[in-house]
Amino acid sequence: MAKSDMKKLSKDDRLNALSVVRRSKSALPKQKAVKPQAAPEFADLPGFKEIRLQKTVADLLQIKNPFFRAHDARAGATTLIDGETYLNFSSYDYLGLNGHEKVHGAAKAAVDHYGISASASRVVAGERAIHTELEKLIARMHRVESSVAFVSGHATNVTSLGQLMQPDDLIIHDSYIHNSIVTGAKLSGAVRQSFPHNNFDALENLLKLRAHKHARTLIVVEGVYSMDGDYPDLPRLVEIKKRYGAWLMVDEAHSIGILGATGHGLAEHFQADPKDVDIWMGTFSKTLAGCGGYIAGCSDLVDYLKLSASGFVFSVGIAPPIAAAVCEAIRLMEAEPHRVQTAQSNGKYFLKKAQEAGLDTGVSQGCAVVPIMMGDSLKATVLAARLLDRGLNVLPIIYPAVPEKSARLRFFITSEHTEEQLDQAIKLLNEEIMNYDNNPISIQQVMSA
């Protein structure tokens, strides 16, 4: 009741009205004071204890963290760390294009013309002419109709799979597939199933059992497997996907620049029709000397993703200097095929010499990536530290990046390495493995010391 209305009432009526208000207030349940509760600890998150244990072991062994190691300049066949030069096997720069003056020049010219950033999502105000040029070059490289560039390679897979596949669909992928594919599959809500690495009989058995139960089925493989350095049988995959009416997606992050006579990837390597693969994916951060990723295929696929994939629609456009650098890298890869041939021959040479030295190279076929299998994560980490002390930079790959008991030292072989450098790496590696095997270390020993 408004104050003006209260004044019109008699004194008794006003008293009665106030009494009613007081009674209604007293009838309300009293609010109990909420006792403050402590927020959960980040240290309780899954996997944190394992991370802390690894750090403790490294500290006890006086091993510096091999990850997040800062390089002082461009990392090629050699690199500078804390002012010291090291023989380097931890760079994705497979064709050495990250150091090419024409790539640098293209990026600098784009800075002068466009600035550093696209400054907006491409859907609204971030579209630049260099983006169109880049996507035309990618489509031409894959010999398909169209392509779309994303600002992150990992997000390319996550957002594309998350948008393309639905809960009623089926995604079947190689068991060695990259984390970004698994994450995208989970985001989509589709049923997800893996098949044993490069075992296409097992893939076909899964399709027989399950494909007919789903509206759409997608098979996903990598062009070159980033942890193992081998590749799938594309003609067999195409035959299988046609038989079961499935889509086929190939992640070419590590195969562009490495497979095929001119580095155009898995289809060129097998001289297959690229249009038999429904979705080509790749990244700019390896051979192409940039950062980001892409999807290439038919126009309908690309048009759909450009207007619906959240990682494209709601993300800033790829930085114009990066787009310009990648454009130049693609042109150089095609104009200078000797880079591709040298990278291929170096990979084969290192693989052959490592096997002759009795080293376990897993399933690698010498395609830029050659793992030296250690099995034990502690052994891989200790050896990486000892090799660094001797002037060789190679990273250990340990659980959870790879399954338990399959830890390794992963060597990236590029066109910039010489045979002398490759021989030196194997010599140092063999010596340090022998030293370790003669005096092995266990976690129990370390923790009880």
Side-chain angles (χ1 to χ4, degrees):
M1 183 179 291
K3 287 183 178 180
S4 58
D5 293 330
M6 286 286 285
K7 289 178 180 178
K8 296 175 184 178
L9 297 174
S10 67
K11 183 178 178 180
D12 289 342
D13 288 340
R14 285 201 301 273
L15 289 172
N16 288 335
L18 288 169
S19 177
V20 169
V21 170
R22 289 190 189 105
R23 286 199 303 274
S24 65
K25 285 183 176 179
S26 64
L28 291 173
K30 290 184 179 179
Q31 296 293 322
K32 291 183 180 179
V34 177
K35 185 179 179 181
Q37 295 185 19
E41 297 289 336
F42 292 116
D44 294 331
L45 287 169
F48 188 91
K49 289 179 181 177
E50 288 81 358
I51 293 171
R52 182 63 58 80
L53 176 62
Q54 289 172 5
K55 185 179 185 305
T56 301
V57 171
D59 289 344
L60 288 168
L61 290 170
Q62 297 183 325
I63 295 174
K64 291 181 181 178
N65 186 348
F67 311 110
F68 304 102
R69 190 177 285 148
H71 295 245
D72 299 338
R74 183 182 81 87
T78 60
T79 189
L80 275 177
I81 302 173
D82 295 330
E84 297 290 328
T85 301
Y86 294 85
L87 188 55
N88 185 45
F89 291 92
S90 296
S91 171
Y92 298 148
D93 188 15
Y94 295 138
L95 302 186
L97 297 176
N98 188 37
H100 201 291
E101 61 180 9
K102 288 187 177 180
V103 173
H104 294 183
K108 290 171 184 175
V111 170
D112 292 339
H113 189 70
Y114 295 105
I116 302 295
S117 174
S119 301
S121 165
R122 287 174 58 189
V123 177
V124 286
E127 186 77 4
R128 302 291 181 267
I130 194 67
H131 294 138
T132 303
E133 183 180 348
L134 172 61
E135 288 168 349
K136 285 181 178 178
L137 282 170
I138 294 167
R140 191 191 74 187
M141 179 174 71
H142 281 283
R143 293 190 289 135
V144 294
E145 291 178 348
S146 190
S147 80
V148 53
F150 295 77
V151 295
S152 159
H154 190 280
T156 299
N157 279 334
V158 172
T159 196
S160 296
L161 284 178
Q163 183 62 38
L164 289 169
M165 304 305 286
Q166 307 297 320
D168 290 338
D169 297 337
L170 173 66
I171 299 173
I172 302 183
H173 61 77
D174 191 287
S175 61
Y176 285 13
I177 206 71
H178 193 265
N179 167 272
S180 56
I181 296 292
V182 175
T183 304
K186 289 178 179 177
L187 177 64
S188 74
V191 176
R192 181 176 66 88
Q193 176 75 57
S194 67
F195 61 91
H197 181 54
N198 275 343
N199 185 334
F200 300 129
D201 290 335
L203 167 63
E204 192 156 10
N205 287 335
L206 282 172
L207 288 166
K208 284 178 186 175
L209 288 171
R210 309 192 70 163
H212 65 281
K213 300 176 182 177
H214 299 273
R216 286 173 291 268
T217 297
L218 173 67
I219 303 164
V220 193
V221 298
E222 293 184 32
V224 165
Y225 285 87
S226 60
M227 295 293 174
D228 298 273
D230 63 338
Y231 54 85
D233 182 345
L234 183 61
R236 175 84 190 275
L237 278 167
V238 169
E239 175 195 335
I240 290 171
K241 81 106 183 180
K242 286 182 176 179
R243 187 178 304 134
Y244 293 92
W247 284 335
L248 175 60
M249 177 178 181
V250 179
D251 178 337
E252 292 234 86
H254 290 269
S255 46
I256 291 296
I258 293 302
L259 292 183
T262 60
H264 285 199
L266 195 65
E268 184 181 46
H269 175 80
F270 282 104
Q271 298 184 347
D273 183 351
K275 293 184 177 65
D276 283 337
V277 173
D278 303 277
I279 306 169
W280 291 103
M281 180 271 173
T283 60
F284 305 136
S285 54
K286 283 78 177 177
T287 287
L288 300 179
C291 185
Y294 64 85
I295 295 290
C298 69
S299 296
D300 286 348
L301 166 69
V302 171
D303 291 345
Y304 178 72
L305 290 176
K306 276 191 171 183
L307 292 173
S308 63
S310 59
F312 181 85
V313 175
F314 298 106
S315 180
V316 69
I318 189 169
I322 292 178
V326 173
C327 286
E328 190 59 34
I330 293 172
R331 294 189 190 99
L332 282 166
M333 181 183 75
E334 295 173 340
E336 301 178 3
H338 67 274
R339 293 176 179 271
V340 175
Q341 293 153 16
T342 303
Q344 291 171 348
S345 63
N346 280 350
K348 298 290 186 186
Y349 181 86
F350 185 82
L351 179 69
K352 177 174 176 286
K353 290 295 183 179
Q355 290 174 344
E356 287 175 355
L359 298 171
D360 182 356
T361 58
V363 296
S364 177
Q365 292 170 275
C367 305
V369 182
V370 181
I372 305 299
M373 308 302 292
M374 296 294 152
D376 181 61
S377 290
L378 180 59
K379 181 178 181 179
T381 305
V382 169
L383 282 172
R386 291 179 179 177
L387 287 166
L388 188 72
D389 288 340
R390 298 193 65 183
L392 191 154
N393 183 52
V394 62
L395 270 289
I397 306 298
I398 59 177
Y399 178 83
V402 291
E404 289 277 17
K405 302 302 179 185
S406 62
R408 64 204 64 187
L409 297 174
R410 181 172 58 164
F411 284 77
F412 290 119
I413 313 301
T414 76
S415 64
E416 295 191 302
H417 287 114
T418 65
E419 290 188 355
E420 291 76 18
Q421 289 171 329
L422 300 177
D423 290 338
Q424 175 71 357
I426 291 168
K427 174 179 176 293
L428 293 174
L429 183 56
N430 248 337
E431 289 174 2
E432 289 305 326
I433 289 175
M434 194 175 301
N435 289 339
Y436 185 93
D437 289 345
N438 289 334
N439 296 282
I441 301 170
S442 71
I443 289 182
Q444 288 76 17
Q445 281 177 281
V446 176
M447 299 307 289
S448 62

